[in-house]
Amino acid sequence: MSSDVAAAPASRPASSRFATWRGRLTYPVLVANLVGQIGIVVTGGAVRLTGSGLGCSTWPQCEPGQFTPRFHEAATYHPFVEFGNRTLTGVLGVIAIAVAVLVWSDRDRVRSYRWLGFAPLVGVAAQAVIGGVIVLLHLHPAWVSLHFLVSMLLVVTSTLLVHRSREGDGPATPVVGPLARRLAPVLGALLTVVLVLGAITTGAGPHSGDEEIGYRIAVDPYLMARVHAASVWLFVAVLVALLVLNRRGPAVLRRRGWVMVALVALQGVIGYVQVATDLPVLLVLLHMLGAALLAGGTARYLLTFRTRA
């Protein structure tokens, strides 16, 4: 008696399954990393603006011998605000590890893109160290400003990762004219100046640190606010020039240009209103969020000046 035995289908190799999952997960994980990098600017700002920078008295523990805040009748909200920000740093660390694994393991991409996948992990580790130094130095505003500026750099890098994940690895082909290409790095440099002057302005003002330990950067905050505003107007002038030069460019470039207009206008309104109303905490926090969105938006806009096959 004979019988036909159907051969069992061979299971796919583990490497093939991982490649499938990597293809599905990479973009969402990169977007989650970008959202988290922007989010931690907001939670870090909340720590600073509520005077919770020393809510945890030490680092890496919150209190000596304990990683979490102690709850008792005399406890304030400050330790929980600070601990919440530290917890988000841990979440970002996990996401950064996932980014590094997903991006580096993609052997079909160029090495420069794969190395870029480690940037969030290195940045989060650096931020954790800077945060510890800030606590140990009792919130010196220079270190607090550095903390903020590194976050801006991480937002830009994370935006670059999201953008690069969806384009090819061929040579960069410009889609704008030569004058626009020359002005692009000027806009990026002015963004850096705007962010640095904004950090110094905040470090010189009433929200420079803790409620009890009031270190400030020794400059006139109102003078710095004017210098900061002047740098913003220079940024706006270059942006307007680019919008005019690129008015016949690709639709996606023009669309992102108008997004930039909206972001700059919103930041300008918040900035002038917060100065006129003696820097209310909510407006300062919104201004910090706007700075992160402007940093990411500028990077995204400038990256659209070229395409890759």
Side-chain angles (χ1 to χ4, degrees):
M1 188 171 97
S2 63
S3 62
D4 295 329
V5 180
S11 60
R12 287 193 303 163
S15 59
S16 176
R17 291 197 299 271
F18 178 73
T20 300
W21 278 105
R22 184 180 59 224
R24 294 174 180 173
L25 291 176
T26 298
Y27 188 76
V29 169
L30 292 178
V31 171
N33 172 65
L34 175 58
V35 171
Q37 297 294 353
I38 295 174
I40 203 163
V41 173
V42 177
T43 61
V47 171
R48 184 176 193 170
L49 296 170
T50 59
S52 303
L54 294 179
C56 290
S57 63
T58 188
W59 181 89
Q61 297 177 325
C62 185
E63 301 295 340
Q66 186 169 328
F67 279 94
T68 58
R70 289 194 179 97
F71 183 79
H72 50 80
E73 292 183 359
T76 65
Y77 63 87
H78 297 304
F80 300 96
V81 174
E82 166 65 6
F83 183 72
N85 185 59
R86 292 187 183 188
T87 301
L88 182 55
T89 300
V91 173
L92 268 179
V94 173
I95 295 175
I97 292 172
V99 169
V101 171
L102 290 169
V103 173
W104 178 255
S105 63
D106 191 352
R107 303 288 178 176
D108 293 331
R109 300 300 301 268
V110 294
R111 189 174 290 270
S112 58
Y113 167 73
R114 293 169 60 215
W115 276 114
L116 188 63
F118 289 99
L121 184 59
V122 173
V124 169
Q127 285 290 70
V129 173
I130 295 171
V133 172
I134 288 172
V135 172
L136 298 176
L137 294 182
H138 302 290
L139 309 182
H140 193 284
W143 282 93
V144 175
S145 298
L146 177 63
H147 207 33
F148 169 77
L149 293 173
V150 173
S151 283
M152 295 298 102
L153 180 59
L154 281 169
V155 169
V156 170
T157 305
S158 298
T159 303
L160 175 58
L161 266 169
V162 170
H163 186 87
R164 286 286 288 118
S165 71
R166 286 295 181 93
E167 66 177 3
D169 292 323
T173 303
V175 297
V176 298
L179 182 54
R181 294 201 299 273
R182 285 195 290 269
L183 281 178
V186 176
L187 189 72
L190 283 173
L191 174 67
T192 302
V193 172
V194 167
L195 293 173
V196 170
L197 290 176
I200 294 173
T201 302
T202 302
H207 301 303
S208 60
D210 188 69
E211 291 177 339
E212 298 179 2
I213 302 177
Y215 296 130
R216 296 188 185 186
I217 297 176
V219 292
D220 183 348
Y222 288 102
L223 174 62
M224 287 307 306
R226 293 187 184 96
V227 175
H228 174 56
S231 69
V232 172
W233 281 111
L234 284 174
F235 179 89
V236 170
V238 175
L239 175 61
V240 170
L242 285 171
L243 292 173
V244 173
L245 290 170
N246 297 334
R247 64 189 182 280
R248 291 189 175 90
V252 63
L253 178 60
R254 287 183 276 117
R255 192 163 58 246
R256 288 176 183 166
W258 286 113
V259 171
M260 285 292 297
V261 170
L263 289 173
V264 171
L266 183 61
Q267 271 294 80
V269 170
I270 294 173
Y272 279 110
V273 172
Q274 71 174 0
V275 172
T277 54
D278 295 326
L279 303 175
V281 167
L282 180 59
L283 284 181
V284 177
L285 189 62
L286 288 175
H287 203 50
M288 294 180 70
L289 171 60
L293 293 175
L294 184 61
T298 302
R300 188 75 159 166
Y301 178 57
L302 295 179
L303 286 167
T304 318
F305 281 32
R306 88 286 190 276
T307 183
R308 290 180 184 268

